[in-house]
Amino acid sequence: MDRIAIIGCGGSGKSTVARQLARILDTPLTHLDAIYYDEHWNPLPQDEFAAQQEKLVAGERWIIEGNYAGTLPVRLAAADTVIFLDLPARTCLWGIAQRRWRYRGGQHHQDGVYDRITWNFVRYILGYRRTMRPRVQNLVREHGPHVRLITLTSRRQAAQLVKRVRDEHQPVT
């Protein structure tokens, strides 16, 4: 697990899992929202966004979290591990509600949190498993046949993965 792409629906816990794994593995972490959006929520042009990711994936070790299916092939081609947080919509909606409660909106670069809830975002979450999941799964099959794919369907499974990685990387005393 040297080059890890963490993908999934908004509110699924990508940033949380990424932060935990980055600490355990002592691996550089990039939150794609921090690259894609500026402080005024203006998106980076797609070609620049892809170029930034090309630079990131050239590194020896990294964790990159974020969905962005349009540039997912860049990450898949270089990743050795993909963690797909495939949680139900109700869990993801609860996740964004908790994030709103904790952060009160806005951008929090240090935590990888970009708490901007719009009706379009809510609709995206509600339709993710129907529309985006098949697209993501096809991209993984097409551009990442070499990766170790870890699909997690609950917060409990995500916590178990983090615990397993922590246990495997404990210093021997």
Side-chain angles (χ1 to χ4, degrees), residues 46-157:
Q46 194 69 16
D47 58 336
E48 291 178 43
F49 187 48
Q52 290 275 353
Q53 289 179 66
E54 291 284 356
K55 291 177 190 171
L56 289 169
V57 300
E60 191 173 311
R61 299 181 71 234
W62 47 261
I63 296 174
I64 301 174
E65 72 86 7
N67 215 40
Y68 297 98
T71 57
L72 184 55
V74 171
R75 287 166 274 143
L76 291 173
D80 59 36
T81 305
V82 172
I83 298 172
F84 180 27
L85 294 166
D86 185 21
L87 279 64
R90 68 182 175 281
T91 304
C92 295
L93 289 170
W94 179 243
I96 64 169
Q98 289 177 310
R99 183 168 65 203
R100 172 51 58 103
W101 176 255
R102 180 173 180 194
Y103 291 99
R104 305 289 197 267
Q107 297 185 31
H108 304 271
H109 290 276
Q110 70 279 7
D111 294 325
V113 172
Y114 303 88
D115 187 22
R116 184 177 188 209
I117 300 172
T118 64
W119 284 115
N120 282 341
F121 186 49
V122 170
R123 281 193 295 273
Y124 169 78
I125 290 170
L126 290 172
Y128 184 89
R129 279 187 149 180
R130 184 177 19 78
T131 59
M132 284 304 297
R133 176 173 52 179
R135 182 174 175 203
V136 167
Q137 289 170 327
N138 286 336
L139 287 169
V140 171
R141 276 192 294 279
E142 184 179 345
H143 298 280
H146 59 282
V147 302
R148 175 182 176 206
L149 176 62
I150 301 169
T151 301
L152 306 171
T153 57
S154 70
R155 297 226 188 273
R156 177 176 290 150
Q157 287 180 353

